Amino acid sequence: MITLKDGTKEEVKKEVGETLSELLVNYGVEKEKILKLKTEVRENEGLSFWLAATLPFLLPFLLIGAFIFL
């Protein structure tokens, strides 16, 4: 969650291949400002995380099992 200059709050997700500091430098943020940022890293959790992680592997086995059963 970030707070913009006008006080509104936004949720931000970063791509996996690049660090936050590299991303901010690419957008022209000064290094002194980057050092003053308060950051918090949250890991994905919950049912949606586990479904997204296991369903691509589990679904083919379930389909093959259904074809064998039928």
Side-chain angles (χ1 to χ4, degrees):
M1 188 74 67
I2 62 169
T3 306
L4 302 175
K5 289 182 180 181
D6 64 358
T8 59
K9 294 188 177 190
E10 296 284 335
E11 185 172 329
V12 178
K13 294 184 181 180
K14 182 189 76 60
E15 294 294 326
V16 177
E18 188 173 31
T19 65
L20 177 62
S21 58
E22 289 174 348
L23 182 67
L24 292 173
V25 167
N26 289 341
Y27 279 108
V29 178
E30 298 170 3
K31 291 187 179 186
E32 294 79 25
K33 289 183 179 181
I34 295 172
L35 293 174
K36 293 178 183 178
L37 286 176
K38 297 178 205 172
T39 58
E40 179 182 342
V41 178
R42 295 185 184 177
E43 295 293 327
N44 292 334
E45 56 186 34
L47 180 62
S48 62
F49 171 73
W50 289 108
L51 283 177
T54 59
L55 202 56
F57 300 106
L58 187 59
L59 193 58
F61 289 116
L62 292 175
L63 288 173
I64 291 170
F67 284 126
I68 291 172
F69 180 75
L70 296 175

